[in-house]
Structures are given as structure tokens and as C-alpha cells.
């Protein structure tokens, strides 16, 4: 079923200049009416996952600036329509095209029920010390014990660390740390990390 979404913000007239600075009328730029096809949760042919109605990475849980509009927790992307991106064809590389969603990526190790809009947590793959690692980022809630238990088992099996935040504290779990904890050496340390995009961790 196809349906049309009108993404016009209330305050901008459709014939007004587009606030993104393109010089075009709003109705022919960011306010264009986008026709969408409803996307199934999975495609039938390749079995690849699809975002469907999830918009977690456009809801502000990933920080970024898109054509001058800031996006952060509490402020969704200016260009997010009702369940869609209104500028999909010209969405920028950073943060949009470079963002990697652990649930959506090809051969994702994460189960179907970890879809971000159901889980309330984004799982973002990153490179860290020449390893694949993951950041669990709140998409509405902190990771709970059930998710952390799943991630710990996965981390020990694959030697992939993960980072997460609980009640404002940033923490790391890895096989090496677990080895130390098992021998009474140290509790999980609070560390600082910063996600600038899906690849960079500092
Ligand atoms: S968080 Fe993942 S599944 Fe949800 S919209 Fe973004 S890429 Fe798609
Ligand atoms: S421009 Fe589109 S893809 Fe990028 S954050 Fe905004 S809604 Fe999402």
C-alpha cells in the first residue's frame, strides 16, 4: 500500500523560501510531499531486514547536524517525517549514510526482537583497538539486565567488547575485564567514550 506524507512544519508556508538555505521554495525542497511504499519488516527475496516503521536513529538518539539543524536526544531530526526521511535521496553522509545499525546490518548477530524501536536501545558497531565493538545507546531507556546478560554472553563468545550507559555512568564490558573480575581484580570501570559517528570512538 502506498501513502503520501506531508512533512511541512506548521510555521513555514509552502511557498516560502526553504529554511535549509537552498534558495528553492519550501514545497519544492525540504517540504516536498514524499510518496512512500509501506515497507515490510523483512523483504521476502533476500530476507534482508528493513527499517519499516522504526525511526530510532532519526529521533535524536544519534547526535548530529543535518543541513544546519541539530539533532540530539529530545530533538528529532528536522527532516524526519511520519515514519520516514523526507530527504532520503539527498541525506548527508554524516551522520545519516555513515551510521551503521547493528540490528540492520548484513548478517547481524542480533535477534529480531532487538529491533531498536522495540528494544529501546540502539546497538552501534564500532572499531575499537582493532576489534569490532558495540555501543549500546539509549533509544528511550537504559539497557536492562536481560539485555546486558545477552550482550555479556555474546561478548565472551566473540571477544567483542561493548560499551553502555546506566544511570549516567558509562561502562565497558570485555572478555579481558571479565577475566580480571573473575579473579577479584577489579569491578567494571567507569570510562569515558564519545560517539561522534558509527566508526569513531574516542
Ligand atoms: S535504528 Fe536501525 S532499524 Fe531503526 S531506522 Fe535506524 S537503521 Fe533502521
Ligand atoms: S536526514 Fe533523514 S536519514 Fe538523516 S537523520 Fe534526518 S530523517 Fe534520518
Amino acid at each position: 500500500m502506498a501513502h503520501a506524507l506531508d512533512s511541512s512544519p506548521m510555521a513555514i508556508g509552502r511557498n516560502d523560501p526553504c529554511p535549509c538555505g537552498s534558495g528553492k521554495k519550501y514545497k519544492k525542497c525540504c517540504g516536498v510531499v514524499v510518496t512512500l511504499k509501506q515497507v515490510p519488516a523483512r523483504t521476502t527475496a533476500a530476507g534482508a531486514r528493513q527499517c519499516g516503521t522504526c525511526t530510532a536513529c532519526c529521533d535524536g538518539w544519534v547526535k548530529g547536524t543535518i543541513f544546519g539543524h541539530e539533532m540530539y536526544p529530545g530533538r528529532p531530526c528536522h527532516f524526519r517525517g511520519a515514519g520516514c526521511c523526507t530527504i532520503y535521496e539527498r541525506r548527508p553522509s554524516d551522520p545519516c549514510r555513515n551510521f551503521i545499525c547493528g540490528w540492520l546490518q548484513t548478517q547481524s548477530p542480533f535477534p529480531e526482537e532487538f529491533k531498536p524501536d522495540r528494544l529501546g536501545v540502539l546497538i552501534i558497531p564500532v572499531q575499537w583497538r582493532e576489534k569490532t565493538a558495540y555501543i549500546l545507546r539509549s533509544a528511550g531507556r537504559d539497557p536492562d539486565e536481560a539485555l546486558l546478560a545477552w550482550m555479556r554472553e555474546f561478548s565472551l563468545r566473540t571477544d567483542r567488547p561493548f560499551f553502555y550507559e546506566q544511570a549516567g555512568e558509562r561502562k565497558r564490558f570485555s572478555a579481558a575485564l571479565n577475566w580480571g573480575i573473575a579473579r577479584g581484580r577489579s569491578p567494571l570501570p567507569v570510562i569515558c567514550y564519545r560517539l561522534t559517528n558509527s566508526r569513531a570512538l574516542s
Side-chain angles (χ1 to χ4, degrees):
M1 181 180 69
H3 58 281
L5 298 175
D6 185 346
S7 62
S8 309
M10 299 297 286
I12 306 168
R14 297 197 54 74
N15 285 314
D16 290 345
C18 188
C20 77
S22 66
K24 297 178 186 172
K25 287 185 178 178
Y26 181 68
K27 69 181 180 184
K28 297 205 168 178
C29 188
C30 300
V32 71
V33 175
V34 181
T35 303
L36 295 179
K37 287 182 181 169
Q38 198 162 17
V39 183
R42 278 175 176 268
T43 58
T44 49
R49 287 174 171 169
Q50 300 284 345
C51 298
T53 55
C54 179
T55 54
C57 58
C58 306
D59 289 345
W61 306 114
V62 175
K63 294 179 189 173
T65 303
I66 300 101
F67 297 128
H69 298 278
E70 279 191 83
M71 169 174 80
Y72 49 80
R75 176 174 285 190
C77 176
H78 174 79
F79 300 102
R80 196 207 65 184
C84 68
C85 173
T86 59
I87 57 165
Y88 188 76
E89 295 302 326
R90 66 183 187 90
R91 70 198 190 287
S93 295
D94 187 17
C96 310
R97 293 175 194 265
N98 289 341
F99 174 74
I100 300 173
C101 170
W103 179 85
L104 189 68
Q105 69 178 151
T106 307
Q107 297 184 322
S108 168
F110 303 111
E112 183 71 23
E113 59 268 28
F114 279 19
K115 191 173 185 181
D117 60 345
R118 289 183 214 154
L119 191 64
V121 176
L122 285 164
I123 303 179
I124 304 167
V126 294
Q127 287 296 309
W128 184 73
R129 296 183 182 172
E130 300 181 356
K131 287 183 179 182
T132 297
Y134 297 94
I135 291 176
L136 309 189
R137 167 153 288 198
S138 168
R141 68 174 180 90
D142 282 352
D144 59 18
E145 188 48 43
L147 174 57
L148 292 175
W150 193 100
M151 288 298 302
R152 283 188 205 109
E153 190 278 327
F154 172 73
S155 174
L156 292 173
R157 184 161 38 87
T158 59
D159 191 22
R160 296 179 179 182
F162 67 95
F163 302 83
Y164 61 102
E165 189 168 318
Q166 269 187 326
E169 282 192 2
R170 293 173 175 184
K171 301 178 181 179
R172 166 164 55 113
F173 180 89
S174 70
L177 281 173
N178 190 66
W179 187 90
I181 293 164
R183 286 152 184 79
R185 294 205 174 168
S186 62
L188 288 178
V190 175
I191 61 150
C192 289
Y193 64 83
R194 181 168 58 92
L195 178 67
T196 52
N197 60 42
S198 58
R199 299 176 197 283
L201 185 66
S202 60

